[in-house]
Every structure is written in C-alpha cells, then in structure tokens.
C-alpha cells in the first residue's frame, strides 16, 4: 500500500448537454452522468494539511461543469476525452479515468457509457 497516493472520486455528477448526432439530440439537452477517478501523490497534503499541496477537486469539477454545459458534442468519445483532459492536466496526476453515461440512449438499456483512462508515462 502506498499511503502517499490519494484517489479522488467524483461520483455521479449529473449534468445536461447537447450530445448526439440525431436532430432531436442536436436540438435538446440530454442528461449525462459523469464519474471521474484521479490518482495523485498526496504526501505533502496529508503531512502539512495545506490546500496548496492538494489537488482541488472543486476546481476540477467546476471546469468539467463549464465544459459540459457550454459546449455541444456529437460523440460520447469526444465528450469523455475532453473531460479526461481536465482530469489529467495537473502535473501531480499519475492516473485518471472518466466514465460518461448517457441515460436512455438505447431503448432497452438503462444507459450507454464510454470510459477512457490516462496514465502518466514512466
């Protein structure tokens, strides 16, 4: 176990955006559910209790909200990739994973989801 490795989980962030390629999807916002996992070295943060040594999950979440609500996306892959860019942009991030669910995308399924992940090169 590596106690210096922190895992931030942003769970079930529910937003609305324009996502899809059909006319109805282009003209109407749809629900998306976003889950983000971020791994980063947090040894300084837990030793000092100083916010300057921690990743600010509120700042990351606000950037994701702005991206999703202020843009239009044709593909779930593109939306997921853009969120992953935000989740992995800080130099301290070692690994990030993003899953975006599009509820009711298929008639007989609860949702369709796309998951992408990124790992810092060694």
């Amino acid at each position: 176990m590596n106690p210096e490795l922190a895992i931030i989980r942003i769970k079930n962030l529910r937003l609305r955006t324009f996502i899809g390629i059909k006319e109805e999807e282009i003209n109407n916002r749809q629900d998306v559910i976003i889950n983000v996992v971020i791994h980063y070295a947090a040894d300084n943060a837990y030793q000092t209790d100083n916010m300057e040594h921690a990743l600010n999950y509120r700042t990351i979440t606000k950037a994701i909200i702005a991206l999703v609500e202020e843009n239009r996306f044709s593909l779930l892959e593109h939306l997921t990739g853009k969120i992953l860019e935000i989740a992995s942009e800080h130099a301290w991030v070692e690994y990030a994973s993003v899953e975006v669910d599009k509820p009711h995308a298929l008639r007989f399924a609860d949702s369709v989801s796309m998951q992408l992940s990124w790992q810092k090169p060694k």
Side-chain angles (χ1 to χ4, degrees):
M1 185 171 115
N2 182 357
E4 295 87 19
L5 184 65
I7 301 174
I8 296 171
R9 296 182 196 277
I10 301 168
K11 297 181 180 183
N12 298 326
L13 179 61
R14 298 173 191 279
L15 302 174
R16 294 183 58 77
T17 192
F18 296 98
I19 177 82
I21 57 172
K22 294 190 279 182
E23 185 175 345
E24 179 182 314
E25 296 171 321
I26 292 169
N27 293 325
N28 298 297
R29 289 184 186 268
Q30 296 178 70
D31 295 329
V32 291
I33 303 168
I34 300 165
N35 285 280
V36 179
V37 177
I38 301 170
H39 295 206
Y40 81 101
D43 49 335
N44 286 337
Y46 83 76
Q47 290 173 4
T48 65
D49 199 27
N50 184 332
M51 186 55 217
E52 290 180 13
H53 298 146
L55 283 183
N56 189 329
Y57 54 81
R58 183 176 303 249
T59 301
I60 294 166
T61 302
K62 284 182 178 183
I64 292 169
I65 292 168
L67 169 78
V68 172
E69 291 185 342
E70 296 172 10
N71 291 284
R72 293 175 175 266
F73 306 91
S74 295
L75 300 176
L76 202 50
E77 291 86 345
H78 184 70
L79 170 59
T80 307
K82 288 299 194 182
I83 297 169
L84 183 61
E85 288 176 11
I86 292 169
S88 62
E89 70 186 358
H90 196 285
W92 297 344
V93 175
E94 300 288 329
Y95 170 85
S97 176
V98 172
E99 182 176 17
V100 179
D101 278 84
K102 186 177 171 185
H104 315 296
L106 294 174
R107 183 173 174 198
F108 297 110
D110 291 338
S111 70
V112 170
S113 72
M114 172 62 55
Q115 183 172 355
L116 295 172
S117 59
W118 172 89
Q119 186 161 359
K120 182 182 275 188
K122 294 188 183 206

